[in-house]
Amino acid sequence: VNSWVEVPDGSDFPLENLAMGVGHRGGGPARPHVAIGDHALDLAGISADGLLDKLVGSEFDQASLNAFLALGPSRWRAVRERLTELLDEGSGQVDRLRGHLVAREELTMVLPIEVADYVDFYSSLHHATNLGRMFRPDGEPLLPNWRHLPVGYHGRSGTVVVSGASIPRPCGLRADGDDVVFGPSRLLDIELEVGFVVGAGSERGQSVRVDDADQHVFGVVLLNDWSARDIQAFEYQPLGPFLAKSFATSISPWVVPLEALRPHFTEGPVQKPTPADYLRATRPWAIPLELEVELNATTISRTDFTDMYWTFAQQLAHTTINGASLRTGDLYGSGTVSGTDFTARGSLIELTWRGTEPLMLADGSTRTFLADGDSVTIRGWCGGNGSARIGFGEVQGTIVAAGTKESS
Amino acid sequence: VNSWVEVPDGSDFPLENLAMGVGHRGGGPARPHVAIGDHALDLAGISADGLLDKLVGSEFDQASLNAFLALGPSRWRAVRERLTELLDEGSGQVDRLRGHLVAREELTMVLPIEVADYVDFYSSLHHATNLGRMFRPDGEPLLPNWRHLPVGYHGRSGTVVVSGASIPRPCGLRADGDDVVFGPSRLLDIELEVGFVVGAGSERGQSVRVDDADQHVFGVVLLNDWSARDIQAFEYQPLGPFLAKSFATSISPWVVPLEALRPHFTEGPVQKPTPADYLRATRPWAIPLELEVELNATTISRTDFTDMYWTFAQQLAHTTINGASLRTGDLYGSGTVSGTDFTARGSLIELTWRGTEPLMLADGSTRTFLADGDSVTIRGWCGGNGSARIGFGEVQGTIVAAGTKESS
């Protein structure tokens, strides 16, 4: 299928994608847009112009997607169908639409959603095994709960930032032998993750069935869960990571609708032991995304999301099995995506094996953890071999120096 | 000081308190009120009536306190001064104000704030020591980080509920010998805590000094951090509690302004080792609250908040030392408040020593953990011996049966 808007070869945003984001030009108000090739269509504009019929009210006249997401899956589908018609090469509305089309490079993107609760999982078998080996060399790498449930915890929703936001190096306490030292983190890391955006909420006291995940999840983003390993190591017992993660979490600006990825859904790995009923799906929920991480100008990791042990549908069912409600704008991360290969690991701590095996970058410099000025970019896509490429664009962040000096 | 509104002896809400909450009568819109004795004054009403001069715009014409809280500390003080004048027995506005006065028993209270991020700390030395003894009998009860920083983690803000909300028993996985069993929690517990409400936010990348805590924290509530100990024991390694806590957190409806408690601020316990610079205050921040827990008709715990090892000001400074920003509506819990006495412990797991020493209730029944139908009420106050009693009212919740049956 082709659009009347030119979609360059290899674009992340063909007509089959219709990713949504929120951006502004100059100092104008930020408004929802839908991406098409190198352009984006102003959804507030076409809605005001009557081009979305009565499918939405003022939901696009907002600085986030939340109001639209709250409309729920049948309305998401109806709007998607209408946008597909409007952007199709056979559209009868090209002249009216052109006035609402903007080059994506002219848009300044903001956070696409007001984040309600943010949860981060830990669902890659390879990642959990690698960290277990490093931190508990004498024990079983996987803890007893890991194959029974998708381990996760709540993160800080107020510091979720959009791609391009700079990342000040966090300060905190770390152990240094028997001393405790305060200062900027020395072991600043990334975590390559995929994020899921909840559109339709649920009632407190109810649980969401794993096969109903698509009634709640609207779409998918790339996510970088910046992590300060030295702060984490000192603080995380017994209640989990806090300051090691809460300073920033970056997401990509374009939310790829689950609907665009659905044709690609596939079976994930076999799970043994068989999980509890509430985690058993009757249809496939794994998503074969290809993911890569670039540090400055060097690709340092290439991995595949298909291989994640727990699916996003299982993670959603788990989140609600205790009766916790979902809200529009809830965001959850898959956990670091690591594959079996050394080059398929999604964090520096794994890629450099806790700093013992530095990476060589294209400029000849080496890295164990991130230096000030480093730029990290994550990209991802699905399909593209004979099928439409459903891409995510990128999530990028640059480390800037901490404002505070070290002291002990 | 006296108000023209009658304040019964022993009331939690004299003129010196001026706690704020959000409530509605019948099906009317929920609006901010200020508590005075057994009554409350409709803040939206007096604002619309011009009685707050130009101190606020439409900030009280909202279903939460957030818009008012976002105005910041100088405006909070100005409004407090104005309310003190209006409610004083010398007020010249009694006739106009009477029309905005409502009996508190006629108000249905809702959540006073839209909760942004919710963080829960673990700052009672006695509580942490008790749990360490129970869970790690062979090791040091306190982990090495505990005296260096206020250990904390993020909880679920979407399931913070107001006093009176029923608490469905959560379901989840627990270990049973070598088996993993799914079902309703059998070890459902309370945690007696004090909650702090952030009014004025901060910038990402900046940290808030411990002595500036009152420039950000507006007020204080009672908080019950419901906890499923069996779910927690199985899930919490290595990333902390998730489903064991995320099903519900109850808070009291009336937010007591920090300003009302300030005359009572006192020194907390001596901290050894001396904490890092960013945790050192130059003035006292401990708050001598008296707290008690009632289970059905029996008082099961009486404790004192003064004794908490880490103050709320240190907790706030810690939260931001990594550059994490604060937002209006952030809520953080002190951690379970336990004293040295057996009867001064703030959770059932401590009061019954992991279920080995059941409590006898007034009706002759015994409890280790909570049964369906149990009602838990936490109350708290400050002063009252020669000074004005600054009370919190109460936070109450009743356990209702889980919808799901056990399976393995």
Side-chain angles (χ1 to χ4, degrees), chain A residues 195-394:
Chain A
F196 296 85
V197 174
V198 172
S202 68
E203 294 296 310
R204 192 170 66 90
Q206 306 292 316
S207 55
V208 172
R209 295 185 322 129
V210 59
D211 281 324
D212 286 340
D214 55 359
Q215 303 301 300
H216 296 273
V217 172
F218 169 74
V220 187
V221 293
L222 301 172
L223 186 151
N224 188 343
D225 176 30
W226 307 96
S227 298
R229 301 298 180 192
D230 41 2
I231 296 173
Q232 186 174 357
F234 186 62
E235 75 174 357
Y236 89 107
Q237 288 284 9
L239 300 180
F242 182 45
L243 299 187
K245 305 272 195 171
S246 66
F247 55 99
T249 305
S250 298
I251 64 172
S252 54
W254 294 101
V255 185
V256 174
L258 211 53
E259 206 58 32
L261 298 166
R262 188 192 297 273
H264 297 275
F265 283 9
T266 184
E267 293 288 345
V270 173
Q271 297 180 312
K272 286 195 176 177
T274 303
D277 282 347
Y278 79 87
L279 293 168
R280 280 181 222 162
T282 64
R283 49 200 175 95
W285 291 100
I287 313 178
L289 307 180
E290 296 180 60
L291 301 164
E292 59 181 38
V293 183
E294 196 177 276
L295 171 52
N296 300 336
T298 306
T299 299
I300 59 169
S301 179
R302 282 201 178 86
T303 189
D304 183 339
F305 191 61
T306 324
D307 203 24
M308 295 294 279
Y309 193 84
W310 297 103
T311 67
F312 78 93
Q314 291 175 312
Q315 291 168 337
L316 192 82
H318 185 63
T319 299
T320 64
I321 190 60
N322 66 346
S325 46
L326 302 173
R327 289 182 296 170
T328 298
D330 282 350
L331 170 70
Y332 61 101
S334 59
T336 309
V337 186
S338 291
T340 44
D341 288 356
F342 202 83
T343 56
R345 293 170 179 182
S347 66
L348 289 169
I349 195 171
E350 293 169 271
L351 287 163
T352 70
W353 207 251
R354 215 172 181 175
T356 58
E357 301 174 23
L359 290 173
M360 173 78 78
L361 303 187
D363 66 1
S365 67
T366 59
R367 287 292 182 286
T368 50
F369 292 90
L370 295 173
D372 291 347
D374 278 353
S375 166
V376 178
T377 304
I378 298 173
R379 296 188 184 86
W381 62 92
C382 185
N385 299 315
S387 66
R389 175 185 169 103
I390 307 296
F392 288 77
E394 62 181 43

Side-chain angles (χ1 to χ4, degrees), chain B residues 50-211:
Chain B
L51 288 161
L52 293 178
D53 305 330
K54 301 237 158 55
L55 295 174
V56 295
S58 61
E59 285 81 4
F60 285 134
D61 199 23
Q62 311 282 339
S64 82
L65 293 173
N66 288 48
F68 170 67
L69 298 189
L71 295 175
S74 62
R75 209 78 73 86
W76 306 337
R77 272 190 298 273
V79 169
R80 181 175 176 82
E81 282 168 23
R82 179 64 180 153
L83 291 173
T84 303
E85 283 170 20
L86 290 171
L87 287 167
D88 186 88
E89 59 189 351
S91 170
Q93 304 290 353
V94 175
D95 289 343
R96 288 173 71 192
L97 288 164
R98 272 196 204 286
H100 301 292
L101 201 66
V102 51
R104 285 198 295 112
E105 65 184 13
E106 286 179 33
L107 279 180
T108 301
M109 301 305 290
V110 301
L111 211 53
I113 54 168
E114 287 174 63
V115 183
D117 272 300
Y118 166 50
V119 168
D120 192 26
F121 286 96
Y122 186 61
S123 290
S124 158
L125 180 69
H126 309 295
H127 174 71
T129 303
N130 285 335
L131 266 65
R133 283 199 185 121
M134 282 187 263
F135 288 103
R136 296 179 301 275
D138 302 326
E140 283 291 314
L142 288 184
L143 291 170
N145 56 19
W146 200 91
R147 286 180 182 270
H148 288 280
L149 53 81
V151 170
Y153 67 102
H154 285 90
R156 191 165 187 84
S157 50
T159 51
V160 176
V161 297
V162 75
S163 178
S166 63
I167 307 298
R169 181 178 296 272
C171 290
L173 295 172
R174 65 171 190 271
D176 184 2
D178 288 342
D179 292 336
V180 177
V181 179
F182 175 81
S185 171
R186 293 175 167 193
L187 306 182
L188 187 54
D189 200 353
I190 60 163
E191 292 195 339
L192 161 62
E193 301 196 24
V194 175
F196 295 86
V197 174
V198 172
S202 68
E203 293 296 309
R204 192 170 66 90
Q206 307 290 318
S207 55
V208 173
R209 294 185 322 132
V210 60
D211 280 324

